[in-house]
Amino acid sequence: MKATFKGKYDTDKLGGAAATFSVKAGDVRLRASMTEATIVKGPSLDGLALAVEKPGSFIIEYDVPKKDIRFQYMNSIRVAEKPLNLTYIHTRGPNRTILDGSLVIDLANKVSANYVLGTENCKLKYTYVHSGVTTFEPAYDLGKNAWDFAVSRKVYDNDVLRATYQTSNSVLGIEWSRSSKLHGSFKISATCNLAEEVKVPKVTAESAWEFEM
């Protein structure tokens, strides 16, 4: 059994926590996830989700309190000898279907697209990795007719610094994350709306630990 515990705190809300337990059963994995709402009030079914997944193939997740089910299917084909990764996601409750695809041109270049069926919500993104250290990600949102930009850089072995800017709402973001098998992972991020008169940044801190049981 594998367990993951997550903690989160941001300046707009009270701190939160989440836990995930998964068990391998042949080629598939059985997973149960819960939030602090599952335990604090009771216990209760709030925040509880159950899932069956086969890595790289499918995920079927059931939201217990909402009685809603989400299907996710993944596949990979080759186009002109290049791998094209496809993902189909359907959520029954809101009847929403998302198509996601990414074409890996080479180790440094990738083109991806995300589209919500029946809407104008479509995003195109180009990813370029320079020298395996710095990543540039310009993205265009067709629905908003706006550009988003992101740049990240590896620092030392486990640290990543990332900056983002959304032109549609003038939101600037800075993020520092670290992933370590021995000490877990954490992420500290700050966002600020440059269009507001009083520019007060929103700060979020997250941490996660994984355990083999």
Side-chain angles (χ1 to χ4, degrees):
M1 178 181 289
K2 185 177 181 180
T4 302
F5 298 92
K6 297 181 181 180
K8 181 178 180 180
Y9 173 80
D10 61 53
T11 52
D12 285 354
K13 303 176 183 178
L14 296 175
T20 301
F21 301 90
S22 61
V23 179
K24 191 173 182 181
D27 292 337
V28 301
R29 189 176 291 273
L30 308 178
R31 174 166 52 87
S33 58
M34 60 191 73
T35 66
E36 76 279 359
T38 312
I39 301 174
V40 171
K41 295 181 180 180
S44 69
L45 297 179
D46 293 339
L48 178 63
L50 306 175
V52 179
E53 61 179 301
K54 183 178 180 180
S57 182
F58 68 85
I59 301 174
I60 302 175
E61 185 176 70
Y62 180 67
D63 189 316
V64 177
K66 295 181 180 179
K67 298 181 180 179
D68 191 15
I69 191 167
R70 183 177 71 94
F71 302 91
Q72 178 174 326
Y73 301 98
M74 299 84 78
N75 197 4
S76 181
I77 61 176
R78 300 192 73 83
V79 177
E81 300 303 319
K82 307 295 183 182
L84 174 61
N85 302 314
L86 301 172
T87 302
Y88 169 90
I89 303 172
H90 179 73
T91 306
R92 191 180 65 177
N95 193 26
R96 183 176 64 177
T97 301
I98 301 174
L99 300 178
D100 189 275
S102 62
L103 178 65
V104 181
I105 301 172
D106 52 38
L107 293 177
N109 297 274
K110 183 175 70 173
V111 179
S112 57
N114 181 280
Y115 175 58
V116 180
L117 290 182
T119 71
E120 296 181 352
N121 190 347
C122 181
K123 296 180 181 179
L124 305 175
K125 183 171 69 173
Y126 170 67
T127 302
Y128 170 67
V129 182
H130 180 68
S131 301
V133 176
T134 306
T135 302
F136 302 92
E137 295 178 298
Y140 182 67
D141 190 322
L142 276 70
K144 297 180 180 179
N145 191 25
W147 286 90
D148 296 334
F149 299 94
V151 59
S152 59
R153 182 177 177 83
K154 289 184 179 179
V155 182
Y156 305 112
D157 293 330
N158 301 317
D159 292 32
V160 176
L161 296 177
R162 178 180 171 89
T164 60
Y165 181 66
Q166 301 175 8
T167 61
S168 60
N169 50 17
S170 300
V171 172
L172 176 67
I174 304 293
E175 178 186 296
W176 172 33
S177 62
R178 173 180 293 177
S179 180
S180 171
K181 292 183 179 180
L182 295 177
H183 304 97
S185 62
F186 72 84
K187 180 172 66 175
I188 300 174
S189 59
T191 58
C192 183
N193 191 330
L194 302 181
E196 295 180 348
E197 271 189 47
V198 181
K199 299 176 177 59
V200 179
K202 174 186 174 182
V203 180
T204 303
E206 301 177 52
S207 59
W209 301 268
E210 291 188 355
F211 303 92
E212 294 286 345
M213 304 173 65

